Every structure is written in structure tokens, then in C-alpha cells.
Amino acid sequence: MKLLILGFVAILFIGCQQDPSLSNKTEESNIDQQVEELLAEMTLEEKIGQLNQYSGFMDFTGPQPNKGRTAKKLEHIKNGKVGAMLNVHGVDNVRAVQKMAVKESRLGIPLLFGFDVVHGYKTISPIPIAEAASWDLEAMRRSAEIAAEEASASGINWTFAPMVDISRDARWGRVMEGAGEDPYLGSQIAKARVKGFQGEDLSKTNTIAATAKHFAAYGFAEAGREYNTVDIGTSTLYNVVLPPFKAAVDADVKSIMNAFNVLNGIPATGDKFLLRDILKDKWNFDGFVVSDWDSVGEMVAHGFAEDGREAAKQAAIAGSDMDMESYHFVEELQSLVEDGEVDEELINDAARRILRVKYELGLFEDPYKYCSEEREKETLYNPKFRADVLDIAKKSIVLLKNQNDILPVKTSGQNIAVIGALADDKTSPLGSWRIGADDESAISVLEGIEKYDQNKYTYSKGADVVTGETQFTRELKVNTTDKSGFNDAISIAKSADVVIMVLGEHGLQSGEARSRTRLDLPGVQQELLEEVYEVNQNIVLVLQNGRPLALPWADEHIPGIVEAWQLGTESGNAIAEVLFGDYNPSGKLPMTFPRHVGQVPIYYNKKSTGRPELPSPGEVFWSHYTDEQNSSLYPFGFGLSYTSFSFKHLIIENNHSDDGTVSVSVEVSNTGKRKGKTTVQLYLQDEFASVTRPVKELKVFEQVELDPGESREIKFQLRDKDLGFYNNSGEFVVEKGSFKVYVGEDSHADLSGEFQL
Ligand code: BGC
């Protein structure tokens, strides 16, 4: 039979070659036909096999499975009981495992090889939240394209990215992996990343299938604690959580991953409302749904399914198509179908979706198409990628404070003290979720700044951020006691013209299962900062972190603050260019930075309360805290430049009743002395609606680069898709009434106007 199929595939392949003008539609229907013919040949057991995904034997990205399973996994691959692997990468490994499936299973159906290629494979881009701060969609598309190019050269054909979970909670470690708090920005970024990974043509050898994850609402884990319950209202679900997923589906993303959480009492993996009613029926998603690591099995611990059999049944009925690492599909589905508890049509549908992606990738034409040693050798770490990851790294940096123009630092004649363990770290800047990358492969801050060799540098670590081993799968130990390096740091600071302190979180202090209750500088770093400040106040604080931090003391005392996240391979070079002024910072925060962790969840697109304002001094009955301000430390969309911009002449033309558009124009001027780039942001408020709307919502943005003294008119057009919202039945409605428009450089934008619909 295997020969028959291969022969059949070969005939089709020749057929395709003979007619290069085949339209996409014809290709699609050819693929559908091939899938149907293959399905007709498959036994129930083989179809279920396609629905089964195992982790390989190299990396673990979840709780380690029982060791005894390995032999069974191999046997299952050979018996056609596996449709995909994850965590098998490298041409040699992929080829060997693919060979087992292709040569030894009855039908020789090739496997998918999935991997978390989240922000690069070997050459690492900034962590996703950092990239989101660039607001540069083309740079983010390119970053995903590079990741796909390297990963595909190493045998991988499917990535578990982009993570499109909106989150308003900086305690949650996985905010590093997303695009922040805003559904509009998040949707634009979701599209850009899907396009970057998948390209225009999935059958090319340098593009890979993408996964939008985690469906849905994982970013709303209660109290920011990983894997915790989610309980949100329908308005938030429809207007905040779902839009980036919808954008990814519209961009033709090939797979969607379930979330670990329970949403309103139902585990997302077993949620028919999410998976069938919304994703597959309403949105017509035609790719496949993969579970998260054992999320099928975890429905038992959630108290939803009594045992693995019931979990498999609930997941399959709900619309989960592939089971990652729980074994329940492969062990239970056959008898569930035979006993009449699961309709075989559901299995056919799931297998069909998975097979279609395999055809689209071109795996049936050549199962080893991603397995060229030569290509792998020339692609991994190819220097040609570095300029682009440096470009996005620079664009991701956000200047938070620049009192008395302490920045940029002079490029010569300065005696500079560099303090902080992170300054000398070549691994931490790679960030979390970069499992393909090699430790020590990032440019450290020290290496970056020492290239500006007309200054004199002295370095002192001051204190470690974490101690002991730093591994992706292990808990990290924070240094809360060892201050033995303080004296040395203080002594070099005393005689310096400028002190550059590189503080923050280790790259593995954010990411999966890295929730925190504090948003401070971990360990003894705040003390170090304050003690150095005692002897020299001329400090530039370079922050490296995977989430918003709450640093009110630093904001009050430290003159220069640069948010440098974890910027990947080119980290130190990007930071140095910003510190010394070769790059004028342009990043804008994609997530609100609070004053205090107790304000979390804090986000700009909040609803008004019934008592939003202080009625008169001393009054107590209004919506506030008694011990902290309501406002953020740095708002969403915020970021300074070495120049300054002004906004004027806001003009609104309301042609909605004629052609359905409202045009908004504004004049932006560079009022400073340097060339610079800003992001013009337009926010809208639908003042009165049948379901209350946020006080401000980002609707559109545009980046503009201006010379000193230059002005430009920026024009936006708002249409129904920007003016409406989802009501509590999930219908998109545009309601008449008054709207406020705000335009500016961040979510505090106060140049405003109004129009009526
Ligand atoms: C994560 C997913 C990831 C998967 C496979 C899970 O623990 O939640 O995002 O893709 O592991 O590594």
C-alpha cells in the first residue's frame, strides 16, 4: 500500500510540475482530494494515530514523562500510531525519526515536527514582548521569517508560536511571550508573526506552519499564577481575548493550541463553545487544534473528566484534534468510537485537518525536505541574520526617563563604571523560550559598550541575580543574601563620571511557570542600586526583564532609565548603540508599568467606574486606593526619544453616513535637535454604549521618522470595524452616538476631538 500511495503522490507531483499555472484554488482542491483518498485507505487506528503527538527524547518542555514510554513511542511511530513529534530537532534526528514513520509504517505517512521556535532558533531575536515594544510590524514579520528559515533548516516544519494571549497581569511569567495588553496591537502583531513563519507559500523549504496559542484566555490566570483558573466575562472574552486569535485565523494560521486553563468552569481543551462554535464554525478555521502538553489528561485534575478515557472523549467532542503527550487519544479513542461514544466522523474531521497541513507543507512529496545537512550547516547562525535581529533589538528598547539629558552618554573621555551581574551575562539576554539556542551566544552589555573604546570602563558585578544552575526546566534560586560584591561596586562608582547599572531579571525568571508576586528588582539588586546612588547619582539604569516591573524608587531618583528587556543574540550591541546615541530610541511600551504590584491588573483600556474622580479634596467615597495613586508609573504606549515631538491641528471629517468613514488627520512635528521616530497612536472612546466601552481604545497607529524641525500630516481612516464592538452575544455592532478621538504618543494622548455617528 505504501508503494501505491507514494506512486500516487509521485504521479500527482509530476502532474503539478507540468502545470505551473495552477491557481491556489485548484491546488487546494487537489489537496482536499488527496486527503480524501488517503483517508479512505486508513483504518480507524491509523486515523487516530494522526491525532497523536509525542515529545522526543531530547528536550522537555513540560513535566517529564515516564521513562518507560520511550520504547513504546518508537514502536508507535513504526505502527502508524503517531502523527507528529515535538522536541526532535536537528537534521540527523529528524531524518532518523521521519524514516521510521515513512519506511516502517503501513501507509508511510510523514510526521510533523513541532518545536517552540518562539523568538528564534539559533540566532535569537528579542523576546516577543520586547519586539512588541517596537510597534514595527515589518520588523516582527522579518524576525519570525528568520526563525522559520533557521528552524526549517534543522528539520522543523511546525512552530508553537506566536503566543497571542493578551495579558494585563505582569505577575504572569508568560507575558514575555506575548504582545502585551492591547487587542488591536496584539492582532496586528499576530498577523505579522504568522506571515513571517508561514510566508506566502507553505510548501517552500524555508517556511513552517505556525500555531496561535493558547486558546483561550490563558493570560487571565487569576492572581497571575501560572495554570490558574480563568473567570472572565463575555465582554472581555469577545473584545479583548479573542481578536488576536481571529486575526491569526484570518492570516491563515495552520494550527491553534489549547490553553491549560479552565475558562468559566470548562477546561479550554474540552470547551466545545470555544473550539467548535467559535473557532471552527463561526470563524471557519480549517487548520487543526493541538492540545497543550498533557492538557487532555489534565482535565482529570481539573475535576472535569473522571479519567483519561472521559478526558479523551470530551476533548475530541469539543474539537481538539491532536493530543500532545497525554496518550489518552491513542489509548482510548478507538474503543470510544467502537462503543459509540465518539462519532467516527469527528475522528475523520480531525485527521483530515492534520493531513491537509502535511500536504500543504509538501511532506508527501518529500518527507525529508527539511533534512539537508548542507543547508543546515550554512543556515544556522548565518551572519546574514544578525543585521536584522540587531535592527529589531534596537527598535525594542524603550527610553523611560532621561533627566537633564544624561543620555546619550558621551562616546569619548568618560570614566564609566559598569555594575550588575547581568552586564556580563551572555546567556540571560537570550531570554526564556529559546530552547534551540546555545548558552553564552548573546553579546553582553559589556561587550557591546566596550566597542566604544574612547571611554574608560571599569566593571564590578555588585551582586548575582540568581545563584546556582539556570535551567529551563528547573526552579531558579534568587540571590537574597550575598552582598559581598557591594563594596567593590561602590568603590568603582565613586570615581566614575557615569555609572551604568544593568539590573533586572534573569532571562529564565519569566516564561512558563515563572509567576512572581513581586514586580521589584529580584534579590538584593534594589539595595545595590540605592547604595551606589549614595556615592554617585549620575546613574543610567539599564533594565533587563521579561515583564513590566514596578520601580517607583528608581523612577524618582535615577536620572536615566532604559528598558532593554532580553534582546537576544545582538543584545549588547543594540543597548550600546542606544546608550551612546548611534540609535535614537523609539520603542513604546506594549504593557502598562505599575507603581506597585497591588495595582495589578492595571491596563490603559479600562472601563470607567461610577465614581472615577475625586469629588473634592479629602473625600473618600470614590474609586481609588488609600495608599497609592491609581495611575501607572509608565503608561501603555509610552517611550521617550532623544528628540521631542508635538502634535497639533487635529481635524476630524465625519463622512460615515456617505461612505462609512471617519477621517482623522494630525500634524506631527519634530521639535527637538535630532532626527527621530515616533509612533502616532489614535485612541477612541465610544462614550455611551449598550455594553460599556473602555475609556480609551487603540484603533490605529503609524510610525513616522522626522528630521529636526520637520512636520508631517498623518491621516487615518476609521471604518465600522474600528467603530464597533462585540456585544455580550458575540455579535459585532456599531452603535450610534458620540465618540471621542485622542491622538498622541502614548495612551495618555490628550489632543482630542469628537464626532457623532
Ligand atoms: C506550553 C506550550 C508549548 C508546549 C510544548 C507547554 O508547556 O504551554 O506553549 O508549546 O509546552 O513545548
Side-chain angles (χ1 to χ4, degrees), residues 119 123-134 143 386 388-398 427-432 441-443 445 507 542-546 562-578:
H119 54 113
T123 306
I124 299 297
S125 295
I127 56 172
I129 194 161
E131 285 194 348
S134 75
S143 158
R386 292 189 81 118
D388 286 336
V389 300
L390 173 61
D391 175 65
I392 181 102
K394 289 189 281 194
K395 289 172 171 167
S396 303
I397 295 173
V398 186
T427 298
S428 170
L430 298 171
S432 200
S441 60
I443 304 283
V445 177
V542 176
L543 293 170
Q544 293 193 328
N545 42 291
V562 174
E563 175 52 74
W565 317 99
Q566 284 116 14
L567 295 173
T569 307
E570 286 289 329
S571 182
N573 288 335
I575 292 169
E577 284 198 35
V578 165

Side-chain angles (χ1 to χ4, degrees), residues 53 55 60-63 86-87 114-116 118 159-161 163 165 174 177 211 213-214 218 226-227 257-260 290-294 324 433 435 472 512:
Q53 179 178 39
S55 179
F60 291 98
T61 48
L86 75 147
N87 296 335
F115 199 58
D116 292 278
V118 173
T159 177
F160 305 128
M163 187 188 98
D165 296 312
R174 293 195 87 163
E177 212 183 324
T211 309
K213 66 190 190 185
H214 306 82
Y218 185 33
E226 185 64 293
Y227 314 131
M257 186 183 287
N258 291 139
F260 283 127
V290 60
S291 83
D292 203 344
W293 184 289
D294 190 28
M324 181 195 290
W433 276 123
I435 47 179
F472 179 65
E512 184 173 353

Side-chain angles (χ1 to χ4, degrees), residues 446-468:
L446 270 184
E447 287 171 329
I449 61 180
E450 278 168 358
K451 290 181 188 154
Y452 290 79
D453 58 6
Q454 302 299 302
N455 286 322
K456 183 171 161 274
Y457 301 98
T458 43
Y459 171 66
S460 173
K461 163 170 93 167
D464 283 318
V465 180
V466 292
T467 56

Side-chain angles (χ1 to χ4, degrees), residues 417-669:
V418 183
I419 296 172
L422 291 174
D424 193 24
D425 200 319
K426 292 173 63 61
T427 298
S428 170
L430 298 171
S432 200
W433 276 123
R434 46 87 191 171
I435 47 179
D438 297 295
D439 283 356
E440 303 278 316
S441 60
I443 304 283
S444 72
V445 177
L446 270 184
E447 287 171 329
I449 61 180
E450 278 168 358
K451 290 181 188 154
Y452 290 79
D453 58 6
Q454 302 299 302
N455 286 322
K456 183 171 161 274
Y457 301 98
T458 43
Y459 171 66
S460 173
K461 163 170 93 167
D464 283 318
V465 180
V466 292
T467 56
E469 271 195 298
T470 49
Q471 275 184 41
F472 179 65
T473 51
R474 313 290 303 167
E475 200 77 66
L476 260 55
K477 283 200 191 73
V478 179
N479 170 25
T480 52
T481 49
D482 183 5
K483 299 190 242 170
S484 56
F486 274 31
N487 283 344
D488 189 40
I490 289 164
S491 86
I492 65 162
K494 273 185 186 154
S495 53
D497 299 314
V498 183
V499 184
I500 296 176
M501 295 193 71
V502 186
L503 306 178
E505 297 177 317
H506 184 274
L508 291 178
Q509 281 183 296
S510 57
E512 184 173 353
R514 265 64 183 214
S515 296
R516 295 183 64 199
T517 59
R518 296 156 180 238
L519 297 176
D520 57 359
L521 295 169
V524 296
Q525 294 180 96
Q526 178 69 31
E527 275 178 75
L528 176 65
L529 179 64
E530 293 185 24
E531 290 197 21
V532 171
Y533 180 81
E534 288 282 302
V535 299
N536 191 338
Q537 302 189 354
N538 226 15
I539 298 178
V540 173
L541 172 61
V542 176
L543 293 170
Q544 293 193 328
N545 42 291
R547 51 159 66 79
L549 296 177
L551 302 175
W553 186 92
D555 178 65
E556 196 181 329
H557 296 90
I558 303 300
I561 307 181
V562 174
E563 175 52 74
W565 317 99
Q566 284 116 14
L567 295 173
T569 307
E570 286 289 329
S571 182
N573 288 335
I575 292 169
E577 284 198 35
V578 165
L579 292 181
F580 293 107
D582 278 340
Y583 185 81
N584 187 355
S586 54
K588 302 278 182 186
L589 296 177
M591 208 170 162
T592 303
F593 276 43
R595 295 175 186 279
H596 191 280
V597 67
Q599 294 174 298
V600 171
I602 181 170
Y603 49 98
Y604 86 94
N605 46 355
K606 61 191 181 212
K607 302 281 180 81
S608 174
T609 65
R611 298 183 183 184
E613 308 283 350
L614 170 66
S616 60
E619 281 258 17
V620 72
F621 296 113
W622 69 292
S623 178
H624 71 300
Y625 300 102
T626 54
D627 56 0
E628 185 52 273
Q629 302 178 44
N630 284 354
S631 64
S632 61
L633 192 60
Y634 306 116
F636 172 83
F638 173 77
L640 301 170
S641 161
Y642 293 150
T643 188
S644 53
F645 298 93
S646 78
F647 291 72
K648 51 182 187 293
H649 299 144
L650 180 71
I651 299 170
I652 301 172
E653 280 172 43
N654 182 358
N655 298 319
H656 192 260
S657 49
D658 302 332
D659 64 3
T661 66
V662 176
S663 307
V664 178
S665 65
V666 67
E667 189 184 305
V668 188
S669 308

